Amino acid sequence: MTGMSDKGLTQKVLIVGTSHTGAFYMARERIKTGYPGLEVSYFGMPGRVFSAALFEDGILRMADISARQLPWMDRQEIDFAPFSLIIQVGERFTLNHVMRLMAFHDVLEEDERSGRAPMSSAALTAFLTGMVQSRVDHIRGRFGADDRYCILPAPYPLARSTAPGPKHEYGLTALSLRSFADRWMARYEEIISERMQAAGLDVFLQPHETRAGQFMTQDRYARPGTDLTAPEGQVDHRHMNSDYGWQVFCAIAEHRLGLTPEGDALSTQQQMTG
């Protein structure tokens, strides 16, 4: 199924959340061309500003109008009412704590031993479930269980973040050396899906074709000028480029709306996904 312009219909879509909305905003022209039947709006804030933002009567607004905004943002509030699909970007589901929990314990039922403190698989599952549930409760308590919502977790850090240097992901590096990481990553994501579904919330996990192993994103999605050769303050292993925004939007549009991109944009998407 392709875009809906032939039916004269326009669906309004909102992409809202933390600074990770930037990947989608940078892909806005491709999205506009590839999906002429969609009218997509973008509303993002720095993570702490988004966390502090107020949500009342269906309107999300900055708690402090003097707080720092993203460079491309020109407003302080957005009304959710007009939108038929609301994609919330940037939830991390306590990822840093999860990685450290897995990396710095030996799981009794796993063969690998490192001399670290032992933990049973039942205990690890319980900890993961509790941490994920805390975030699920927060999402539902803040925004409710609106069937228009689709929660998109923040992308995993780039694979290059395991190299020594600025913005080094210490927990991710340690976890990548554990033989059981893949299995427990899968279990963690299963728990996210299970807990979100139980709460009546839709979650769309990071597409596998964008990944580079457990808890990592392929380096081809890095933003220009952010690698280890950049000035330290500009090194960034967590925020993705427009290719990532385009590819993930296409995946969500198919998942939620049954839409694929039209015209030349379809060929671009097929090349990116292989």
Side-chain angles (χ1 to χ4, degrees), residues 33-244:
T33 300
Y35 295 90
L38 300 180
E39 181 182 322
V40 184
S41 298
Y42 305 85
F43 188 87
M45 308 177 197
R48 291 183 180 179
V49 179
F50 179 75
S51 295
L54 305 174
F55 185 68
E56 299 172 331
D57 300 322
I59 298 174
L60 181 69
R61 60 172 57 91
M62 295 175 62
D64 179 3
I65 60 173
S66 66
R68 182 174 68 87
Q69 285 189 266
L70 300 176
W72 49 270
M73 279 292 298
D74 59 359
R75 50 186 168 174
Q76 285 80 41
E77 66 179 44
I78 187 78
D79 186 352
F80 285 14
F83 300 99
S84 58
L85 173 61
I86 300 167
I87 303 169
Q88 182 183 318
V89 180
E91 174 59 50
R92 294 184 63 79
F93 290 103
T94 69
L95 177 62
N96 287 338
H97 296 296
V98 165
M99 289 193 296
R100 284 169 170 77
L101 185 67
M102 294 181 185
F104 303 124
H105 289 84
D106 284 345
V107 180
L108 292 175
E109 289 79 4
E110 301 288 349
D111 292 335
E112 180 184 347
R113 291 291 179 267
S114 66
R116 294 177 173 89
M119 179 183 296
S120 69
S121 60
L124 180 53
T125 298
F127 276 120
L128 295 178
T129 302
M131 289 189 288
V132 168
Q133 187 65 54
S134 70
R135 296 309 304 164
V136 173
D137 292 343
H138 174 77
I139 294 168
R140 177 153 182 159
R142 187 181 190 189
F143 296 106
D146 192 319
D147 61 10
R148 296 176 299 161
Y149 295 169
C150 181
I151 308 299
L152 175 69
Y156 292 125
L158 295 167
R160 72 186 190 193
S161 66
T162 58
K167 309 295 178 66
H168 175 68
E169 295 278 353
Y170 177 66
L172 176 59
T173 303
L175 182 59
S176 69
L177 302 176
R178 304 307 303 266
S179 62
F180 52 76
D182 281 343
R183 291 189 295 278
W184 280 97
M185 174 184 177
R187 183 66 188 119
Y188 164 67
E189 291 192 333
E190 286 173 0
I191 291 169
I192 292 174
S193 296
E194 290 166 359
R195 294 293 85 209
M196 290 287 283
Q197 182 178 11
L201 297 168
D202 183 29
V203 64
F204 189 81
L205 300 175
Q206 182 173 338
H208 284 277
E209 59 268 22
T210 68
R211 304 188 188 194
Q214 67 271 14
F215 297 101
M216 289 185 280
T217 299
Q218 295 178 32
D219 289 340
R220 66 189 175 111
Y221 295 110
R223 293 188 180 182
T226 62
D227 64 16
L228 293 175
T229 66
E232 183 170 345
Q234 297 177 26
V235 175
D236 187 346
H237 303 311
R238 290 197 173 190
H239 292 90
M240 305 304 151
N241 61 22
S242 62
D243 285 343
Y244 181 88

